[in-house]
Amino acid sequence: MVRALIVLFAALATAGSAAAEPPAVYYRVFLTNGSSLASYGEFARVADRVVFSMPLGGSHTAPALQLVSIPAASVDWAATEQYADAARAAYYAGTRGEQDYAALNAEVASALNEIATTEDAGLRLRIADAARRRLGEWSRDSYGYRSRDVSELSTMLDEVAAELRASAGARGGFDLQLVAMVLPPPAVPLLPPPSLRESAEQAMAAAALAGDAGERRTVLAAVERALAGAGEDWAVALAARARREIDAEGTIDRSYGGLAQSALARAQSRARAADVRGVQGVIAQVLSQDDRLGRRRPAEVSALLATLDARLDAARRLRLARDRWALRLPEYRSYRREMAEGLRVVAGLRHVVDDIKELAGPSRAALLRAELRTSEAALLMSRVTPPADLTPVHALFVSAVQLAASACRQRLDAISTGDEQTAWSASSAAAGAQMLFDRAQKDLTRWLRPPSLP
């Protein structure tokens, strides 16, 4: 029996005829409204969108393609997957199916030949098992192509295996799970490639489902280009409709652009004034205007609302900061009054400190007077207790006075010794004193003004 099967399998391996050149593969994405969109090649599901290439112009074998994406929720997945299985099976049958089937027959024939020439009974059974397992794998990988023939081959191999078991005295049944056959997909009639009119109408439907305005305009422009050379009435009307929708998208873009520009300007103005209610009013106006425009730009409005929410948070923080500042303002003003005399003394030393910085003097007598004035300023400042918020500012004033005193002492030393390096050290101390004093003055002025946004 084994030798007879070898001859049969060898004949089957050469029985298949060469397949004709297959047509291009057109899948269909079926929508929940009952319509479908042609997809040239496989579609891909990415997050909540379905992405595929639509034929739009060209020929059936070399179509012009337009990439589109539609919401996954708009797809009838049962019908789409069933059609895709049928299309894959048909494409496989028209391309590699017969060639692969012939190769499978050759593999099985080789296994049977090996069984016939092997004396080890256990090895012969293992070869039969492997051949049956190969049939099951091939059936799964080939979309059930010629599943009836493969099932018949498997049955014949079962008989061979049973015969081998009987001759080897083996007990127990044969594991039928090894060769579970895969049935071909349900018979679904494949639709012909879409005509130019069908492609254009489907592209218009896909444009309506596009994820954003940019993609929608791109698809509509592709429809307009594809129909540019067609003179039929339907083509002229459809191209005109595509142009109207492109123009309408431009009008909507301008409306939303103006809305965003106006809203951001008003929200920024209200936020700078710490007007929380005002910013909330701008947000409410944006939502109302979006409703009036038909909610046509959800992504842009979402981004705008996120920016306005940030402005609202800034306004709330500024409102709190200003309320706290108003509470503490009397303390800040009291500190400025208490520091007024010490700051007046320091201001009177500016010309002396400037001369030290520039190595332009002053005289020893002027330096001695200035040193006494820095001690006076330090004493006056030591009697002032700053508010907690102004502690860093007060520390800057004290440090500025200390550096000014150090500059005076080092300049006196330089005069006494004639050491130029000491004079330069005095210059550095004087420059530091000026920098710290100016910074402290600016910081104090800032605390005396209401908080503002950057």
Side-chain angles (χ1 to χ4, degrees):
M1 179 177 181
V2 172
R3 295 189 181 279
L5 285 175
I6 293 173
V7 175
L8 173 61
F9 274 79
L12 288 173
T14 58
S17 59
E21 181 68 22
V25 183
Y26 286 87
Y27 293 86
R28 291 280 174 158
V29 177
F30 289 86
L31 304 181
T32 53
N33 63 10
S35 63
S36 69
L37 306 177
S39 171
Y40 188 81
E42 296 273 4
F43 51 85
R45 187 167 183 172
V46 182
D48 62 344
R49 309 289 297 179
V50 180
V51 183
F52 57 96
S53 295
M54 289 192 70
L56 186 56
S59 64
H60 291 329
T61 56
L65 301 178
Q66 177 60 46
L67 187 68
V68 299
S69 73
I70 62 174
S74 67
V75 176
D76 180 345
W77 286 105
T80 299
E81 293 291 358
Q82 188 178 53
Y83 190 93
D85 288 342
R88 295 183 189 109
Y91 182 76
Y92 180 81
T95 53
R96 295 169 42 201
E98 201 59 35
Q99 180 181 355
D100 289 355
Y101 182 69
L104 174 70
N105 279 314
E107 287 184 44
V108 176
S110 176
L112 289 171
N113 185 62
E114 190 174 358
I115 291 172
T117 58
T118 300
E119 296 182 0
D120 186 323
L123 179 58
R124 297 169 74 189
L125 278 173
R126 289 194 293 274
I127 294 172
D129 282 348
R132 294 173 72 252
R133 187 179 296 107
R134 172 69 178 120
L135 285 174
E137 292 172 352
W138 189 88
S139 181
R140 288 192 297 273
D141 297 339
S142 63
Y143 307 99
Y145 179 68
R146 294 188 67 165
S147 59
R148 180 176 298 177
D149 294 333
V150 174
S151 180
E152 291 177 358
L153 297 179
S154 177
T155 299
M156 288 187 286
L157 271 177
D158 287 349
E159 295 175 4
V160 171
E163 181 182 317
L164 293 173
R165 283 180 173 273
S167 63
R171 295 181 179 180
F174 202 59
D175 186 4
L176 297 179
Q177 293 182 354
L178 290 173
V179 289
M181 295 295 109
V182 175
L183 296 176
V188 175
L190 298 183
L191 300 173
S195 65
L196 176 60
R197 181 172 186 173
E198 290 171 332
S199 294
E201 290 173 347
Q202 289 178 18
M204 294 293 290
L209 296 171
D212 58 64
E215 181 184 349
R216 189 175 303 114
R217 281 193 297 270
T218 298
V219 176
L220 291 170
V223 172
E224 190 177 30
R225 288 194 303 272
L227 299 179
E232 293 91 339
D233 291 343
W234 66 264
V236 174
L238 199 55
R241 176 186 160 195
R243 171 45 52 186
R244 287 194 302 272
E245 293 193 15
I246 292 173
D247 293 341
E249 291 293 333
T251 300
I252 293 171
D253 280 346
R254 289 188 292 275
S255 297
Y256 275 96
L259 172 63
Q261 183 177 8
S262 173
L264 289 173
R266 286 183 287 119
Q268 183 66 6
S269 175
R270 301 293 189 274
R272 289 188 179 279
D275 182 2
V276 174
R277 295 294 187 187
V279 179
Q280 289 175 330
V282 172
I283 294 174
Q285 291 171 6
V286 167
L287 293 173
S288 175
Q289 188 74 351
D290 183 36
D291 286 340
R292 191 183 69 79
L293 292 172
R295 301 184 180 182
R296 297 292 299 276
R297 295 293 183 269
E300 288 83 348
V301 171
S302 179
L304 174 59
L305 290 175
T307 302
L308 294 178
D309 284 341
R311 296 285 191 276
L312 179 60
D313 288 341
R316 286 167 172 164
R317 290 193 300 270
L318 184 58
R319 181 71 270 161
L320 180 60
R322 285 190 176 180
D323 290 344
R324 183 180 183 279
W325 172 83
L327 177 66
R328 305 300 297 275
L329 182 59
E331 296 180 26
Y332 303 156
R333 288 175 174 171
S334 175
Y335 172 78
R336 183 179 60 178
R337 288 193 298 270
E338 293 174 7
M339 287 287 289
E341 183 60 22
L343 296 180
R344 185 186 62 76
V345 172
V346 174
L349 297 173
R350 180 171 287 277
H351 68 284
V352 173
V353 174
D354 190 58
D355 282 348
I356 296 173
K357 183 183 74 170
E358 299 297 334
L359 280 70
S363 66
R364 184 174 183 277
L367 287 169
L368 290 172
R369 288 193 298 272
E371 190 175 17
L372 289 174
R373 297 291 284 175
T374 58
S375 298
E376 179 185 357
L379 179 61
L380 290 170
M381 290 182 183
S382 68
R383 296 171 179 171
V384 178
T385 300
D389 292 337
L390 300 184
T391 298
V393 177
H394 189 72
L396 289 176
F397 280 129
V398 172
S399 296
V401 171
Q402 291 172 347
L403 278 175
S406 177
C408 290
R409 287 193 298 271
Q410 291 184 65
R411 182 64 186 182
L412 284 170
D413 290 344
I415 292 173
S416 299
T417 63
D419 182 36
E420 186 176 0
Q421 187 59 44
T422 304
W424 278 109
S425 295
S427 173
S428 296
Q434 285 186 347
M435 182 187 69
L436 292 180
F437 186 77
D438 290 343
R439 179 179 168 186
Q441 287 278 41
K442 288 180 180 178
D443 286 352
L444 179 57
T445 300
R446 177 174 60 83
W447 279 102
L448 292 168
R449 291 174 179 169
S452 60
L453 293 179

